[in-house]
Structure formats: structure tokens, C-alpha cells
Amino acid sequence: MVTLETIIALCKRCGFVYPSAEIYGGLNGVYDYGPLGAALKNNIRKFWKKSLVTTDKTIVFFEGSLLGPESVWQASGHVSNFHDPMVDCLECKKRFRADEIDLEKSCPACGKKNWTAQRQFNLMFKTAVGALEDASSVAYLRPETAQAIFINFKNILSSNRVKIPFGVAQIGKAFRNEITPKQFLFRTREFEQMELEWFCKPENAAPDFEYWLNQRKNFYQAIGLTEANLRFRAHEQTELAHYSASCTDVEYNFPFGWKELEGIANRGNFDLTQHSTHAKKDLSVFDDETKQSYLPHVVECSVGADRLMLALLCDAYSEENIDGEKRVVLKINPAIAPITAALLPLSKQLNEPIHKIFKELQHKGYAVQFDETGSIGKRYRRQDEIGTPLCFTYDFDSTTDNTVTVRDRDTMQQERIAISHIETVIKKKLGF
Ligand code: GAP
């Protein structure tokens, strides 16, 4: 299995992910996405959205604010409950999550044993809104995207032609002041969530939970994660939040072990109840059949886009030995590969005609790259490493017979095709 260090090095080398503010020494647990990382993440977002709109369910998309007043987070339970236990080593001053180390043993950093008492540390980033800093100005950067959906439930219902059951989906940033951010993109302080909140009648919550669980299984299969590296772990009764009727974690076998990738939960009517009570607003809906009002139940599917990207990179990375030389290849699903095709002139003298084809494809919206530097073998390796499924090479014969060589990333097989077929070959690779 690939090591995390190999993935981190690949990300830096190829321009997927950089440590944030690196030239100033970095900011722990925060990352910047380079051109390829931004493209890959965008394709992941699109794939997730497509997986929702291609169901036969009603889903609307939403974008909530990142800042929220304290009242929202009081109602949601984050102010009083969103804590991790922490301890400090009094010798070396290193800070740890108390539930991740054995306090009977010495400090893993300095080898001495001199712990502070455990303290609870709230993971939310607190700030003040406006010029005056008093109790009324307290706000928080959202630690999850979901709450903005719950507090807008009535707005969405009344301003769109939707009725129960329907889903509200959102992709956006979330912030958690993790005590020990680690494992690269796995646990960061600023990250992106892709969340679906499915509102349904109470009696349908259990079957709808099963429906979404199944949909999410299909999603992971379609996006191309290896089946053997995925498992769906239903929470034991003792693990469930008090309001949650059922919860299943999608876990991925990362280089550092099996870890949560997504949480799928039947949250009951906990969230709408909390906001109804705290905001003193009626968030119930009227059922035309029973002639009664009720608070809808919620099934939530919540996955981190960055965590998913890390899983996809780990899953796709492979090394092969080709005639005694190492070939690094990202065997990523062509539909999410940051670059779909590279256009390569065999010699710089041939730049013009293939650059014209490159521009035409780019104008049509394809993710293509033009690369003229280095030997053709080197250029193929470069594209393999970033997961480009197709390379088209324009050579001296192309000028007379109007054909190019197309090379497949995974099989490395080459074929001669007419220039007029380039777009068709790309479309086929993308599954159109
Ligand atoms: N609304 C439910 C919720 O936020 P969560 O299990 O705390 O539940 C959902 O988060 C998903 O968000 C996780 O499964 C993970 O993929 C991602 N996530 C959570 N904390 C993260 C962090 N610090 N860094 C990167 N991704 C994170």
C-alpha cells in the first residue's frame, strides 16, 4: 500500500496540494489547492452533485453563510457539546487529544510523564461581528454545513415548489479548531463538506435511510474506489447520538488504517425540534392526508470533499516497473481526472497544428493540456503521474495523413486515429 508521505510528495510535486502560507512557515492543519488539486476537487464536487440529480428524488441545492450567530450553535448543541478532551505535557508543552494517547504512559514527544489535568476544548472558531465586542457580537465559523440548511428549512419550503419528501444539498467550507490536525487532508482545520439533508415523514425515515445508504454505496462504486478498501460500518446502539435512530459510517482503508470517510445518519427530528424551540418558530409542516402538523425527520449523508480526495489519490496511486524503470501512474476514474487529455507535438516544429486542436478542445470545455517540453517518453510519464487518461501525439506523418497517435494511460497501448475522431475518443473515455 502507498504511504501517506508518497501521496504528500506527489501532491506537492505535481501541484495538487501545498501547505498553506508555506513561505511564512505554514499554518498547521490548513492547505491550499494547486491547479490540479483545484480541478480534481471540482470534478469530485460535480460527481457528487450528479449522483444526486440522477436519482428520481427531488433535491435542491443551497449555499449557506460561513458565519453564524451564537444562538444557532447553542440550539444545535455545538456550544455545549462540540468538545474534544485535551491534555498538555508540562515538560515539552506539546498538546494532545486525551482520547488518543495513554495518559498512564510517558509523553510520546519527550518521553517524560508530567501531564496537566484533562480539559475540554471547544472545536469551533469564535469571532466577533461588528465594531463592538460584546455578548451580542459573538459568532462562529460553521463547524458543519448542515445547520444552515436546518435553519432555512421553512424558507426553502416556502420559496420553492418542493414538498416533503425532498432533499437539500450543500457543498461548502467548514472549520474546526482540531487539537491535533493530522494525516494530511484527513483531518484539517479548514475543510469542505458535501452534505445532503433529506427531509421526510417520520414513518419513512427508516426506509429512506436504507435508500440513501444504497445510493451512497453506488456513488463510491461509480467514483472508482476499490471495493476491498471500503466498508460500511453500522454504529452500535451505544455509539449512537441520543437523537439518532441509526448511523452508518463509510470507512476507507487509508495508509494509516480504516477511518471514517462519510457519515450516513437518521437524525430523527432532533435538528428541527432544537431550532423550533430555541428560535421560537414553528418549523412543522401540515400533512394534507392526516390533517395534522408534524416535524419532518432527517436523513443526512455527510462526506468531506478533501478526505474523499485523499482516499481517491491513495486508491489510484500505483507504481509499475517498465523495463527496469519506475512508472508512477494515477489510475483515477477518467471522469474526475484533473486533465482528460494531453496534446503533444512530437517536435517543437509541429506545435502549431496540435496547439490549434488543443485550443479548440479547451474552448469546448474539455480539461486538456498542451505539453511540448522534454522527450515524448518523459511527457507520457508526467501525464501518467497526474492521472491523464489520454495522450494524443502529433508527429510528422500527421501533417500528411491527418492522424495522431492516442495512448491509453492504463494499458499504455497506442493506436492511430483520425484527427477528426479525437473528440469522440475523449467523449468515450469520459463515458458520454
Ligand atoms: N453534519 C454532520 C457532520 O458534520 P461529521 O462526522 O463531524 O458529521 C462529516 O463530519 C464528514 O466531514 C466526515 O465524515 C469527514 O469526511 C469530514 N470531516 C469532518 N471533520 C473533518 C476534518 N477536520 N478534516 C477533514 N474532513 C473532515
Side-chain angles (χ1 to χ4, degrees), residues 29 78 82 123 143-147 150 174-178 181-182 184-195 197 220 243 249-250 259-265 267 300-308:
H78 284 84
F82 201 50
L123 299 185
E144 62 171 13
T145 63
Q147 295 305 321
F150 300 135
F175 303 83
R176 296 183 189 179
N177 200 2
E178 300 283 357
K182 57 183 172 193
F184 192 39
L185 303 178
F186 180 79
R187 191 181 304 287
T188 55
R189 289 186 165 130
E190 176 180 333
F191 56 99
E192 200 166 296
Q193 288 186 316
M194 304 193 288
E195 298 202 295
E197 308 301 327
Y220 287 108
Y243 52 82
D249 281 349
V250 181
K259 298 276 179 198
E260 179 188 326
L261 185 56
E262 168 162 352
I264 303 165
R267 300 177 63 97
E300 176 185 74
C301 306
S302 173
V303 54
D306 318 80
R307 209 176 265 194
L308 176 54

Side-chain angles (χ1 to χ4, degrees), residues 82-110:
F82 201 50
H83 293 128
D84 274 343
M86 72 175 178
V87 287
D88 292 317
C89 169
L90 284 166
E91 301 294 330
C92 71
K93 313 289 178 222
K94 280 244 157 62
R95 178 161 286 175
F96 298 90
R97 257 178 72 167
D99 53 349
E100 286 185 346
I101 53 163
D102 185 351
L103 294 172
E104 295 304 314
K105 293 191 178 154
S106 328
C107 167
C110 70

Side-chain angles (χ1 to χ4, degrees), residues 165-300:
F166 71 96
V168 184
Q170 179 176 202
I171 299 178
K173 290 270 187 175
F175 303 83
R176 296 183 189 179
N177 200 2
E178 300 283 357
I179 297 172
T180 47
K182 57 183 172 193
Q183 285 137 350
F184 192 39
L185 303 178
F186 180 79
R187 191 181 304 287
T188 55
R189 289 186 165 130
E190 176 180 333
F191 56 99
E192 200 166 296
Q193 288 186 316
M194 304 193 288
E195 298 202 295
L196 167 72
E197 308 301 327
W198 175 252
F199 296 95
C200 59
K201 287 187 178 177
E203 62 272 28
N204 291 335
D208 286 3
F209 174 83
E210 294 303 324
Y211 171 85
W212 284 110
L213 183 59
N214 216 25
Q215 286 297 323
R216 301 306 298 147
K217 284 183 181 169
N218 296 342
F219 169 86
Y220 287 108
Q221 194 183 32
I223 205 165
L225 285 180
T226 309
E227 213 180 317
N229 284 335
L230 271 176
R231 67 183 186 199
F232 295 79
R233 193 183 65 80
H235 280 206
E236 303 287 338
Q237 278 301 319
T238 49
E239 278 181 272
L240 290 174
H242 64 92
Y243 52 82
S244 184
S246 43
C247 184
T248 292
D249 281 349
V250 181
E251 293 184 338
Y252 180 76
N253 190 14
F254 286 97
F256 39 88
W258 287 95
K259 298 276 179 198
E260 179 188 326
L261 185 56
E262 168 162 352
I264 303 165
N266 175 351
R267 300 177 63 97
N269 62 10
F270 173 75
D271 306 280
L272 292 184
T273 305
Q274 286 298 102
H275 290 300
S276 287
T277 313
H278 282 250
K280 299 188 180 55
K281 293 275 172 353
D282 178 16
L283 299 181
S284 65
V285 295
F286 185 74
D287 186 332
D288 287 328
E289 282 169 24
T290 62
K291 308 288 177 217
Q292 281 184 338
S293 293
Y294 68 99
L295 276 177
H297 282 214
V298 170
V299 175
E300 176 185 74

Side-chain angles (χ1 to χ4, degrees), residues 44 61 70 75 80 94 97-98 104 107 113 120 125 146 154 156 202 216 226 232 234 252 277 344 370 389 419:
I44 293 171
F61 290 87
E70 187 163 48
S80 41
K94 280 244 157 62
R97 257 178 72 167
E104 295 304 314
C107 167
K113 188 165 170 251
Q120 292 297 330
F125 284 100
K154 267 288 165 90
I156 295 170
R216 301 306 298 147
T226 309
F232 295 79
Y252 180 76
T277 313
L344 315 171
F370 178 79
I419 287 175

